[in-house]
Each structure stands twice: as C-alpha cells, then as structure tokens.
C-alpha cells in the first residue's frame, strides 16, 4: 500500500479530478448564475416597460385616444416606440447587452412585452 501511494502521479490525479469533477460543476454554477441574472434583468425591463406605458398613456394618449383623427395607427406606433425607448433607457448597458444576447428575436420580444404591459395597465384602470 505504501508503495502504491508513492508511485501515484499526484499531479495527473489532481488534474483528472479537476477536469472530470470541478470544471463541469463550475460551468453549471456559472450557467445557473447567468440565467438568474438574465431573469432579473428581464423582470426589471418588464417593470420599467409598465412604468413607461403608464407614463406615455398619461402624457401622450389620454387626451387624444377618443379622437379618431388624432389616434391613428401611425400615432399608436409612435407611442409604442416612445414607451420602448423609455423602458430601454432605464436599463444599464450590461443589462441591455445581456438581454439582447439571450433573446435572438429581441425586437419581437420587446413588442410582446409592450403588449403585455399595455394589457396589464388597461386591467388596472378598469
């Protein structure tokens, strides 16, 4: 037994254990933390989107919504863009970059988020 312990290549053994056990566990931990961070940033973006939709509704929409001459499809798109820009400006650059990287179809994702926020705001006002 003593001879076996002396003849073991400890450096190779530690390297093998590191490669087999520690690196995959570390990668899993990193991926888990990254997912949590993306989820946190998405939640922040959604909260900012709701605030932006409420703000734009108060400043841009409230007075003209019942006038069909003023509340056109073009005006609706303009208001959506204003809300989108306000929400994105509330994010840090790192948060924006990470969300953009994690969502291949970022622009459509934002559009759906605006729709959801708008629905939530409408439900609150009823």
């Amino acid at each position: 037994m003593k001879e076996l312990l002396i003849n073991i290549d400890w450096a190779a053994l530690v390297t093998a254990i590191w490669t087999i056990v520690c690196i995959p566990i570390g990668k899993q931990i990193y991926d888990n933390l990254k997912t949590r961070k993306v989820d946190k940033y998405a939640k922040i973006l959604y909260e900012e989107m709701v605030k932006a939709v409420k703000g734009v509704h108060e400043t841009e929409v409230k007075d003209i919504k019942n006038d069909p001459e003023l509340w056109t499809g073009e005006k609706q798109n303009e208001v959506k863009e204003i809300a989108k820009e306000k929400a994105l400006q509330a994010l840090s650059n790192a948060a924006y970059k990470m969300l953009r990287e994690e969502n291949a179809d970022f622009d459509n994702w934002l559009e759906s988020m605006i729709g959801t926020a708008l629905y939530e705001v409408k439900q609150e006002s009823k």
Side-chain angles (χ1 to χ4, degrees), residues 9 125-126:
D9 183 3
S125 66
K126 286 184 177 180

Side-chain angles (χ1 to χ4, degrees), residues 45-55 116-117 120-121 124:
L45 177 59
Y46 181 74
E47 290 168 355
E48 291 301 324
M49 191 68 72
V50 169
K51 289 178 191 174
V53 167
K54 285 180 182 178
T116 305
E120 184 177 315
V121 168
E124 286 177 4

Side-chain angles (χ1 to χ4, degrees), residues 21-35:
V21 177
C22 296
I23 290 177
I25 290 172
K27 184 177 180 337
Q28 187 66 33
I29 290 170
Y30 173 77
D31 290 345
N32 190 5
L33 291 174
K34 185 175 179 185
T35 300

Side-chain angles (χ1 to χ4, degrees), residues 27-112:
K27 184 177 180 337
Q28 187 66 33
I29 290 170
Y30 173 77
D31 290 345
N32 190 5
L33 291 174
K34 185 175 179 185
T35 300
R36 285 184 184 178
K37 190 179 259 188
V38 169
D39 290 345
K40 180 179 116 181
Y41 287 154
K43 183 179 178 188
I44 291 169
L45 177 59
Y46 181 74
E47 290 168 355
E48 291 301 324
M49 191 68 72
V50 169
K51 289 178 191 174
V53 167
K54 285 180 182 178
V56 169
H57 178 60
E58 289 296 319
T59 59
E60 301 278 334
V61 177
K62 198 174 185 180
D63 297 331
I64 64 170
K65 187 164 185 165
N66 294 327
D67 187 346
E69 291 180 18
L70 297 174
W71 188 239
T72 61
E74 185 178 305
K75 185 65 174 178
Q76 291 174 9
N77 290 335
E78 180 185 324
V79 167
K80 266 189 194 178
E81 288 301 314
I82 292 170
K84 189 188 320 183
E85 288 301 317
K86 283 184 175 189
L88 290 175
Q89 288 173 358
L91 290 178
S92 68
N93 288 337
Y96 174 77
K97 184 178 176 186
M98 183 175 279
L99 287 172
R100 192 145 188 90
E101 287 173 0
E102 291 297 317
N103 293 290
D105 201 2
F106 185 74
D107 293 326
N108 285 339
W109 182 65
L110 274 180
E111 288 294 325
S112 68

